[in-house]
Amino acid sequence: DTAVSQTPKYLVTQMGNDKSIKCEQNLGHDTMYWYKQDSKKFLKIMFSYNNKELIINETVPNRFSPKSPDKAHLNLHINSLELGDSAVYFCASSHEGGNQPQHFGDGTRLSIL
Amino acid sequence: GNSVTQMEGPVTLSEEAFLTINCTYTATGYPSLFWYVQYPGEGLQLLLKATKADDKGSNKGFEATYRKETTSFHLEKGSVQVSDSAVYFCALQLGTSYGKLTFGQGTILTVHP
């Protein structure tokens, strides 16, 4: 009965490859997010979707393409992976509106060789 | 722009010591303020929140008061336990930001028996 689940938990791949990370939430939330956490633990939002529509895109390279097939899913596809993409990627979800707490997945640790 | 600044870590304490983690913010409106906690290998969990000036958020013995005059939201706990060892993130959210959280850099707390 995991609330926000991400797969895979670990992803090790070569530079130049294309990879996807999947996220699903069973909380009935309308809004989903992707955050990137770097090696110094700094967290920054990448994207946000509300009811399958993109509402936040924080100057992320267009190699990163989120896709939301329905309200419960937000996947992240990354093309032509670079060394600087190595990080932990967190999916989160919340109800629509201000002051709503966000529920986070356990993260996907992406390592580029 | 909007930003959050937390005290530099890491912070190392003995069990039952008093904890303070400082957090100050800059915002172009009236934000809601949050503390999130990240235990090793896990995603972030909401610890507490406050939505307007002078509100006090509290949970699991932790407290923080929204101080508009000093633009601060310091986290305190009277007696820490080993199980409190984690990374603590202060964050703000503006009502107009579609749920976007702006995080501080995180503070690593280690509590020794």
Side-chain angles (χ1 to χ4, degrees), chain A residues 33-50:
Chain A
Y33 312 83
W34 278 109
Y35 289 88
K36 180 180 180 181
Q37 185 175 46
D38 65 22
S39 59
K40 295 184 179 175
K41 301 288 188 185
F42 185 69
L43 269 161
K44 190 165 167 30
I45 192 165
M46 300 173 69
F47 301 103
S48 172
Y49 270 71
N50 178 262

Side-chain angles (χ1 to χ4, degrees), chain A residues 21-33:
Chain A
I21 307 172
K22 296 187 175 182
C23 179
E24 176 181 5
Q25 55 93 6
N26 62 6
L27 297 166
H29 289 160
D30 304 289
T31 307
M32 296 185 72
Y33 312 83

Side-chain angles (χ1 to χ4, degrees), chain A residues 11-113:
Chain A
L11 189 49
V12 181
T13 189
Q14 305 269 4
M15 215 164 48
N17 284 351
D18 303 338
K19 290 293 178 186
S20 292
I21 307 172
K22 296 187 175 182
C23 179
E24 176 181 5
Q25 55 93 6
N26 62 6
L27 297 166
H29 289 160
D30 304 289
T31 307
M32 296 185 72
Y33 312 83
W34 278 109
Y35 289 88
K36 180 180 180 181
Q37 185 175 46
D38 65 22
S39 59
K40 295 184 179 175
K41 301 288 188 185
F42 185 69
L43 269 161
K44 190 165 167 30
I45 192 165
M46 300 173 69
F47 301 103
S48 172
Y49 270 71
N50 178 262
N51 285 313
K52 303 193 298 174
E53 287 195 26
L54 179 68
I55 55 172
I56 295 176
N57 182 340
E58 286 282 305
T59 61
V60 177
N62 57 15
R63 298 183 295 105
F64 290 79
S65 51
K67 282 192 172 48
S68 181
D70 55 58
K71 278 194 337 178
H73 296 84
L74 180 61
N75 303 322
L76 183 65
H77 187 76
I78 316 170
N79 288 327
S80 304
L81 281 157
E82 300 177 358
L83 288 175
D85 298 333
S86 294
V88 182
Y89 292 84
F90 286 99
C91 178
S93 70
S94 72
H95 286 299
E96 190 176 354
N99 310 325
Q100 299 295 331
Q102 293 181 17
H103 296 254
F104 285 76
D106 285 344
T108 296
R109 182 174 293 277
L110 174 63
S111 300
I112 310 301
L113 304 178

